[in-house]
Amino acid sequence: MTNNSSKSSVFISYSRRDKTFVQKLHHALNEGKRDIWVDWEDIAPTEDWREAIAQGIQSADNFLFIISPDSVKSIECNKEIDHAIKCNKRLVPILYREVEDNSVRPELAKHNYIFFQNEESFFENLEKLEQALDTDLAYIKEHTYLLSRAILWQQKQRDPSYLLQGTALKEAQEWITHSLNQTPRPTQLHNDYIITSIQKSKQFLRRIAIVVGALGLIAFASFLVALSERNQAKEAELKAKSEEVKALTGWAQARLLRHEQLDALINIIRAVDKLKDLPQSSSEETFSDFAQIPIHDQVEQTLRQVVYTLQELNHLQADQKTIYDVQFSPDHRWIASASADTKVNLWKNNQRQTSLLHQGVVWRIGFSPDSQMMVSASEDKTVKLWQLNPQGNWTLKQTLIHPVPVRSVTFTFTDQCSQTGQKIASAGTDGLIRIWNLEGKLQRTFQAHTGTINDLKISPNCQTLASASEDRTAKLWTLDGQKKATLLGHENQVWTINFSPDGQRIVTGSFDTTIKLWDQTGQLLKTLEGHANWVMSVIFSRNSQEIVSGGEDAMLKFWSREGDLFASLLSPHGDIGSINISADNQYLVFTGDSGKMSLWQQGGSVIEILRGHTSGVTGVHFSPDGQLMASVSNDQTVKLWQFDPQAKRMELQQTLEYRKGEPEGGLKNVNFTPDGQYLITTSYDNTLQSWNVKKALTHSSIQGEIIAKNNTVVNRFRISSDGKRLALASADGTIKLWDLKSQKLLKILTTNQSPSLTNNGINQCQKIQQGYPPQSTDVAFSKNNQYLVASYSDGCLKLWNLEGQLIQEFRGHPQWINALRFSPDGQLLATTSRDNTIKLWQWEKTQFKIDQPTKILKGHQDWVWNVAFTSDGKKLASGGKDNTVKLWNITTQSPSDQSDLIVTLQSHIDWVTSVDFSPCNQDNKDYPNCHQRLQLASASADQTIIFWKMEEVLRIETKDNHETALQSLFKKGCQWLSVYLETNPDTPEASDIRSACGETKPPSDQPGNKILSPDQ
């Protein structure tokens, strides 16, 4: 496909059964001199067809999808959609043959269709298509061009010679700034490529402010100009201050884009401090041409974004040499680093406490399970055993002399097995493994590899020793030197190896840029590809559910237990040499260039972003006791999460697969039975599945039992509070009532019935005279389980008794109702709609009061997808197509008032599809033993669930003692920085932050206190 600069190019994805239509469309688009990629003419006979298709998608400006019953079910078509989404391509859906609304991928469905069902209007619709394809032509072509260059840079292992320079870099900066208000958005690879290019350029300090924050060089230049003139006029002085605030805010946004969270916080704190000096007229000035909001609002939004997502706790700076290994002590009181500077550096109390010396590079270190001993392996041909004395100092206990440089060392006992017969295993450049006792006596030596052994690890049950070598193999051994398995497949030296804490899996990382996932016997399960350079470190999370890797490409990558990549983070400190996770799974540390280390908590300060799904998340729900949370996704998995009161975060416990790899296996909804023993899910294959929760937590291989089959898509379902009945809202307009125990269909409620009670002509719904009936979109049981209320795509609500008698119907919204939910006391019904509103309806004994809603909540800028009440019924959360979660106070008396809105939460980057509050919280007397405060979960098409710490949200956003949200956010930001400033008192910005924040002390529950704080 050549590049025709006058028109945007197109990739066409289609089912073979629609080929005749596609040929006609292809011919028509060709007539218009447009470049088109289609698989019957763009794949050479010798090409790998999958790779050719991937390249075709990457090189096209638009991804055109022909919607038909066959294409939406096609496995290959769905893979093409996945790649287009990964590349953030503009999606253009063409409806050729009718399909059910819910069978179309949400990522496509959110775009306006171009209709080609009618042959007679083909050319009229072609004109609409041409206009859609060429919208924002220059922007979309630059998106494609920069992606192509970024992919090449990635393929060349991020070689700096492939970075942007000169005019190309300047144009890329302007483009990414413009992208703030454009779709499709840049990919993470776009961002990494452009920012790395800027960083390498000589003018980095001037240019980075352009990239994010919509400031551009104009803002910074204006700041400099205005600064020089500030003594000439008051107007110039105010202008200087205003531009300084803008510049600092832009710096904060740029740093956040690069995951430099502490630097982002420092800059936005400085911006808020400078904002105090601006009169109201200046703070209300428009921020920029791209961000048409007042400066004050932009600063507050940026501060909220930074504070809510904070994970980076501290920077630890050792000496200026490469760090090869970093470890938490099991009691997470110490962090130790092994370095090329010949030292083992130990950190505690937010400070480097001591340095233990070798005579050469220190390659590996390890703590004993009780944190009282430590071993270090060095190029100086020694292993040193260190002891923590009662005074809290590390002293040398033994030196184990080797004939060759030592590259790896480990204790051979763990907290899971007996500490009798404690040993140390070491290995070096001669390929031998040596076993020592703690008195320093060599007990056994055996030849393990033909090259240097780079790493040694002991299995959790102490039965298997694993070794990784430069001879391109890893091996499994008994402690007496008997080989159990050889792990073959890497094409370069294997640098690192680790067991999962449950002992079921092994990961290896290699200089061939890959990670390999093995079972406990050494059988290869999967090769993980994604790094562009040497993999230096790979480790399992402490619950064995995630894999974290890092390497010489400066990327921190997160993978599921099954080896699916779900997140990447560009290291703020360059190439990553080592990664470690604390024993409580709460903290992560990784190393960077020149002796730098970054300490992060796994959850955010106010929110925790739960990653792991590889497609849009369609549903989320807490268990009745609030201890578990379930999520479902188009990736055909159910994930079970559990709240860890020690770590104060949700942790992934299990991933269950449903019809993996089949096109109709995507899961749509999820809920627990009232007793919490079973999960019920629905799928796009029109079935409902039941999962035994107890078995699911221990066996990932269990399959959901199909308990109901429907003749069409189930939009939503509800379980009665007594656990006896299941109600389904179907795309065919019916409500189906099932007996949950016997799995028998009890009733089918249809829309063509007339109500037995009149509504006095108020909001009457009209019967469908022709065409298809409206879809039933949601259903709910009344609190006493005697009634069912259902919502419909025509905006109507219908009330039934369980005998199937229609009691009441009325028009609730002028457009499609997406969801409904009763308040906990059953007195209010909340409905959400495509009219961008939520309405609350009062329940009166046996029916609804419908002359007017009790309250109308307005504020969403697009469809409202879902809604949830807090357990006390006083607050309500809503999630929308505008990518936001809104929190409402519903106790006010006015029927419609913006004051009902507590806060808009903006951390998702795509539709918010589902929201749910935890029923378990310490303020709810029904749960006296609950370990957590009120929490909110929101699921999104952006593939994440966000776990909102509502106590923190309300503390910040609810005005108390005349403290504004900006002041609350500022205070929290200052508290967060206090630990960083204690560790790094001499940074250039330290004096400014101390001046702005004053003598702020961290609260007792500040994250990180437990790791780098005095003994308690």
Side-chain angles (χ1 to χ4, degrees):
M1 181 175 64
T2 58
N3 183 20
N4 185 337
S5 60
S6 63
K7 291 190 175 184
S8 66
S9 55
V10 179
F11 179 98
I12 303 178
S13 178
Y14 68 100
S15 164
R16 294 298 173 268
R17 294 188 180 183
D18 303 320
K19 186 172 182 179
T20 300
F21 166 74
V22 174
Q23 286 174 328
K24 179 177 180 180
L25 182 64
H26 175 263
H27 176 75
L29 292 171
N30 252 340
E31 288 289 310
K33 306 296 185 183
R34 187 180 300 278
D35 292 324
I36 306 160
W37 201 104
V38 65
D39 61 4
W40 66 70
E41 65 172 28
D42 287 282
I43 301 180
T46 57
E47 279 189 277
D48 179 330
W49 67 274
R50 283 193 186 278
E51 180 61 26
I53 285 175
Q55 291 177 3
I57 293 171
Q58 291 159 194
S59 62
D61 300 321
N62 300 280
F63 180 85
L64 200 66
F65 188 79
I66 310 301
I67 298 174
S68 72
D70 298 299
S71 66
V72 297
K73 295 178 181 179
S74 165
I75 294 175
E76 295 306 324
C77 286
N78 276 278
K79 288 180 179 179
E80 290 170 6
I81 294 172
D82 289 338
H83 194 64
I85 292 169
K86 179 182 177 181
C87 295
N88 279 13
K89 288 296 175 179
R90 178 158 64 191
L91 307 181
V92 183
I94 285 183
L95 184 59
Y96 172 53
R97 289 190 284 140
E98 288 290 346
V99 295
E100 292 180 348
D101 286 348
N102 292 301
S103 66
V104 180
R105 292 273 294 268
E107 298 92 342
L108 285 169
K110 69 181 182 180
H111 297 283
N112 293 325
Y113 293 175
I114 300 174
F115 299 92
F116 272 86
Q117 307 104 305
N118 189 343
E119 177 73 20
E120 295 178 357
S121 58
F122 178 88
F123 289 100
E124 178 183 343
N125 293 321
L126 179 66
E127 185 177 347
K128 293 178 182 178
L129 174 60
E130 295 268 15
Q131 292 174 353
L133 294 175
D134 290 333
T135 300
D136 297 318
L137 181 62
Y139 174 83
I140 204 74
K141 281 192 163 293
E142 190 73 3
H143 186 287
T144 304
Y145 166 72
L146 290 171
L147 180 62
S148 298
R149 289 201 55 166
I151 289 172
L152 179 61
W153 171 65
Q154 181 88 317
Q155 292 172 342
K156 297 296 184 181
Q157 300 185 344
R158 301 198 171 206
D159 185 332
S161 66
Y162 287 87
L163 292 171
L164 297 165
Q165 300 179 31
T167 302
L169 178 57
K170 180 180 178 181
E171 290 174 350
Q173 293 171 179
E174 293 171 352
W175 175 83
I176 204 168
T177 301
H178 187 50
S179 73
L180 292 169
N181 297 314
Q182 291 284 338
T183 56
R185 298 294 298 275
T187 65
Q188 183 62 49
L189 185 58
H190 276 107
N191 294 335
D192 294 349
Y193 182 55
I194 295 172
I195 292 175
T196 304
S197 297
I198 296 170
Q199 187 178 22
K200 294 295 182 181
S201 73
K202 293 181 180 180
Q203 296 179 324
F204 167 63
L205 293 178
R206 290 174 55 197
R207 290 180 173 174
I208 190 67
I210 302 173
V211 179
V212 179
L215 292 174
L217 288 171
I218 298 173
F220 198 75
S222 298
F223 164 58
L224 295 176
V225 172
L227 190 63
S228 66
E229 298 174 349
R230 64 186 302 173
N231 296 322
Q232 299 178 19
K234 185 176 182 180
E235 182 178 348
E237 183 178 355
L238 290 176
K239 182 67 173 175
K241 291 179 179 180
S242 173
E243 297 302 332
E244 186 176 10
V245 171
K246 291 181 185 180
L248 288 168
T249 304
W251 272 92
Q253 293 170 327
R255 295 296 191 184
L256 196 60
L257 181 64
R258 283 186 55 85
H259 309 291
E260 297 173 11
Q261 294 186 351
L262 285 173
D263 288 340
L265 181 59
I266 287 168
N267 279 284
I268 196 61
I269 288 292
R270 293 174 64 198
V272 175
D273 187 50
K274 302 295 182 184
L275 189 67
K276 299 173 186 176
D277 298 331
L278 291 181
Q280 185 173 351
S281 58
S282 295
S283 66
E284 292 177 354
E285 174 189 332
T286 300
F287 188 76
S288 73
D289 291 339
F290 295 104
Q292 293 289 328
I293 62 174
I295 295 174
H296 177 281
D297 293 353
Q298 183 65 52
V299 171
E300 181 174 326
Q301 283 184 21
T302 304
L303 179 60
R304 180 176 286 107
Q305 184 182 9
V306 173
V307 168
Y308 270 39
T309 57
L310 275 171
Q311 291 179 269
E312 190 176 19
L313 293 165
N314 214 340
H315 293 167
L316 308 178
Q317 177 68 58
D319 295 317
Q320 299 297 315
K321 297 290 183 69
T322 301
I323 297 175
Y324 291 106
D325 199 10
V326 62
Q327 299 286 329
F328 285 104
S329 62
D331 63 4
H332 43 70
R333 291 184 177 278
W334 297 89
I335 294 177
S337 62
S339 166
D341 64 4
T342 75
K343 299 175 184 175
V344 176
N345 291 304
L346 286 135
W347 304 80
K348 190 181 179 185
N349 302 355
N350 304 308
Q351 303 292 335
R352 183 166 54 174
Q353 294 294 305
T354 188
S355 296
L356 309 177
L357 296 179
H358 275 273
Q359 298 302 310
V361 171
V362 185
W363 292 104
R364 301 284 184 186
I365 48 177
F367 285 95
S368 62
D370 62 2
S371 303
Q372 298 303 299
M373 292 184 289
M374 184 176 63
V375 285
S376 54
S378 172
E379 193 75 11
D380 66 7
K381 304 181 181 181
T382 70
V383 166
K384 292 192 176 185
L385 175 62
W386 310 88
Q387 180 83 46
L388 184 64
N389 65 28
Q391 291 74 41
N393 299 315
W394 290 92
T395 59
L396 182 63
K397 183 179 179 181
Q398 298 288 344
T399 298
L400 313 182
I401 305 298
H402 292 65
V404 295
V406 190
R407 287 291 179 89
S408 50
V409 65
T410 184
F411 288 102
T412 63
F413 54 98
T414 71
D415 58 359
Q416 295 184 25
C417 40
S418 172
Q419 294 190 11
T420 58
Q422 299 170 348
K423 302 285 193 302
I424 297 168
S426 63
T429 57
D430 58 4
L432 296 175
I433 293 178
R434 295 172 171 85
I435 307 296
W436 312 74
N437 65 20
L438 298 188
E439 285 67 47
K441 183 178 179 180
L442 180 63
Q443 296 190 323
R444 184 176 295 107
T445 300
F446 56 92
Q447 188 72 47
H449 290 271
T450 58
T452 297
I453 299 176
N454 294 318
D455 200 9
L456 287 174
K457 291 294 190 306
I458 190 71
S459 63
N461 65 5
C462 305
Q463 299 300 305
T464 304
L465 184 67
S467 57
S469 171
E470 72 172 5
D471 67 9
R472 304 186 180 187
T473 71
K475 295 182 181 181
L476 306 181
W477 307 88
T478 63
L479 288 179
D480 59 6
Q482 299 299 309
K483 186 169 66 174
K484 301 173 73 172
T486 299
L487 283 56
L488 299 170
H490 281 296
E491 297 177 358
N492 204 329
Q493 64 173 299
V494 187
W495 182 257
T496 181
I497 190 167
N498 260 301
F499 288 92
S500 61
D502 63 8
Q504 299 301 304
R505 299 197 173 183
I506 301 167
V507 284
T508 52
S510 168
F511 283 13
D512 66 7
T513 76
T514 72
I515 298 159
K516 290 187 183 292
L517 181 62
W518 317 79
D519 71 11
Q520 59 187 330
T521 68
Q523 291 296 310
L524 179 64
L525 299 175
K526 189 172 184 178
T527 298
L528 284 56
E529 297 180 344
H531 283 285
N533 209 332
W534 298 349
V535 178
M536 303 299 293
S537 187
V538 59
I539 188 171
F540 281 92
S541 62
R542 296 304 180 185
N543 63 1
S544 303
Q545 294 299 314
E546 296 177 5
I547 300 167
V548 187
S549 63
E552 292 284 311
D553 59 357
M555 296 300 294
L556 196 67
K557 291 185 178 289
F558 298 83
W559 316 76
S560 72
R561 178 184 174 88
E562 293 73 34
D564 296 322
L565 178 65
F566 60 82
S568 297
L569 182 152
L570 181 65
S571 167
H573 302 307
D575 295 343
I576 298 169
S578 182
I579 304 166
N580 202 250
I581 297 173
S582 62
D584 61 4
N585 213 34
Q586 192 173 0
Y587 301 98
L588 179 146
V589 64
F590 57 92
T591 67
D593 293 334
S594 304
K596 296 184 178 70
M597 294 189 294
S598 190
L599 177 65
W600 291 57
Q601 72 171 58
Q602 301 248 52
S605 64
V606 180
I607 67 173
E608 182 180 354
I609 300 177
L610 306 179
R611 297 182 172 92
H613 284 294
T614 56
S615 189
V617 187
T618 51
V620 64
H621 215 284
F622 284 97
S623 62
D625 63 2
Q627 297 306 300
L628 289 175
M629 186 179 74
S631 59
V632 293
S633 165
N634 286 319
D635 65 9
Q636 299 165 250
T637 66
V638 185
K639 290 188 183 291
L640 288 171
W641 312 79
Q642 189 166 32
F643 184 78
D644 184 336
Q646 180 185 7
K648 297 181 180 179
R649 64 185 294 258
M650 293 296 288
E651 293 188 350
L652 180 62
Q653 299 299 312
Q654 193 61 274
T655 297
L656 310 171
E657 295 184 353
Y658 177 71
R659 294 184 62 180
K660 192 68 174 178
E662 299 184 33
E664 294 181 342
L667 294 168
K668 188 172 172 60
N669 293 292
V670 63
N671 207 337
F672 288 85
T673 54
D675 60 10
Q677 294 185 26
Y678 291 89
L679 268 177
I680 308 296
T681 57
T682 62
S683 171
Y684 287 99
D685 64 4
N686 306 345
T687 66
L688 278 82
Q689 308 84 36
S690 174
W691 310 75
N692 184 299
V693 173
K694 187 175 181 179
K695 289 181 179 178
L697 286 171
T698 55
H699 299 87
S700 63
S701 60
I702 74 163
Q703 287 295 308
E705 176 192 0
I706 294 178
I707 59 171
K709 293 184 178 180
N710 205 34
N711 61 336
T712 187
V713 172
V714 178
N715 285 322
R716 278 199 173 87
F717 72 94
R718 300 289 178 193
I719 306 168
S720 61
S721 60
D722 59 11
K724 294 180 178 180
R725 295 179 178 87
L726 187 69
L728 316 182
S730 301
D732 62 4
T734 64
I735 303 295
K736 293 184 175 70
L737 191 62
W738 291 75
D739 183 278
L740 193 53
K741 185 176 181 180
S742 67
Q743 300 177 18
K744 291 183 178 179
L745 179 63
L746 301 175
K747 295 280 184 184
I748 299 179
L749 311 179
T750 62
T751 57
N752 58 6
Q753 295 173 245
S754 297
S756 59
L757 302 178
T758 72
N759 294 323
N760 299 318
I762 301 173
N763 292 332
Q764 284 276 21
C765 292
Q766 302 297 317
K767 288 186 180 180
I768 300 298
Q769 301 296 327
Q770 58 185 359
Y772 296 101
Q775 293 190 32
S776 53
T777 57
D778 203 356
V779 63
F781 288 92
S782 62
K783 186 173 178 61
N784 63 6
N785 295 316
Q786 297 302 306
Y787 298 92
L788 276 173
V789 60
S791 58
Y792 293 85
S793 58
D794 61 358
C796 284
L797 293 158
K798 296 179 187 288
L799 179 70
W800 319 75
N801 62 26
L802 296 194
E803 286 70 45
Q805 187 179 41
L806 183 58
I807 304 300
Q808 188 182 30
E809 64 178 358
F810 60 97
R811 187 171 297 281
H813 293 263
Q815 297 185 38
W816 189 303
I817 298 176
N818 289 318
L820 51 81
R821 191 174 289 197
F822 272 108
S823 60
D825 62 5
Q827 296 304 300
L828 287 175
L829 179 75
T831 58
T832 72
S833 172
R834 293 186 180 183
D835 66 8
N836 306 351
T837 70
I838 304 122
K839 292 185 179 181
L840 302 181
W841 306 90
Q842 185 71 44
W843 176 259
E844 294 183 335
K845 296 183 179 178
T846 60
Q847 60 181 342
F848 293 101
K849 181 182 178 183
I850 61 171
D851 53 345
Q852 68 174 16
T854 300
K855 194 178 285 287
I856 302 175
L857 304 177
K858 299 179 179 179
H860 280 285
Q861 302 302 307
D862 211 325
W863 302 352
V864 188
W865 281 121
N866 212 323
V867 68
F869 287 91
T870 54
S871 56
D872 61 9
K874 293 180 180 179
K875 295 179 179 65
L876 181 145
S878 57
K881 192 179 175 183
D882 58 5
N883 306 349
T884 70
V885 175
K886 291 184 183 289
L887 187 65
W888 309 84
N889 180 359
I890 59 173
T891 60
T892 58
Q893 299 301 312
S894 59
S896 180
D897 191 342
Q898 280 287 346
S899 63
D900 297 327
L901 180 63
I902 298 173
V903 65
T904 297
L905 307 173
Q906 300 182 351
S907 293
H908 283 295
I909 59 173
D910 210 332
W911 299 359
V912 179
T913 55
S914 183
V915 291
D916 196 38
F917 282 105
S918 59
C920 169
N921 65 82
Q922 292 177 346
D923 299 322
N924 189 337
K925 296 179 181 178
D926 293 335
Y927 301 96
N929 298 319
C930 191
H931 296 292
Q932 65 193 88
R933 294 286 186 180
L934 178 65
Q935 313 290 7
L936 172 68
S938 59
S940 171
D942 65 11
Q943 306 181 12
T944 70
I945 303 111
I946 292 183
F947 187 64
W948 305 85
K949 302 172 184 177
M950 292 310 299
E951 185 177 28
E952 281 296 307
V953 171
L954 294 173
R955 181 187 298 167
I956 291 169
E957 305 296 348
T958 304
K959 294 180 180 178
D960 184 28
N961 297 325
H962 306 291
E963 189 174 78
T964 66
L966 181 64
Q967 291 169 330
S968 297
L969 289 163
F970 183 78
K971 180 189 294 183
K972 186 168 183 66
C974 286
Q975 289 174 338
W976 189 276
L977 283 173
S978 58
V979 173
Y980 166 79
L981 291 175
E982 184 179 349
T983 309
N984 302 275
D986 299 323
T987 58
E989 306 87 355
S991 59
D992 284 352
I993 296 301
R994 290 194 186 92
S995 174
C997 293
E999 294 299 320
T1000 305
K1001 295 292 182 183
S1004 59
D1005 61 349
Q1006 170 90 359
N1009 285 357
K1010 192 165 53 172
I1011 290 184
L1012 298 175
S1013 64
D1015 293 334
Q1016 298 178 358

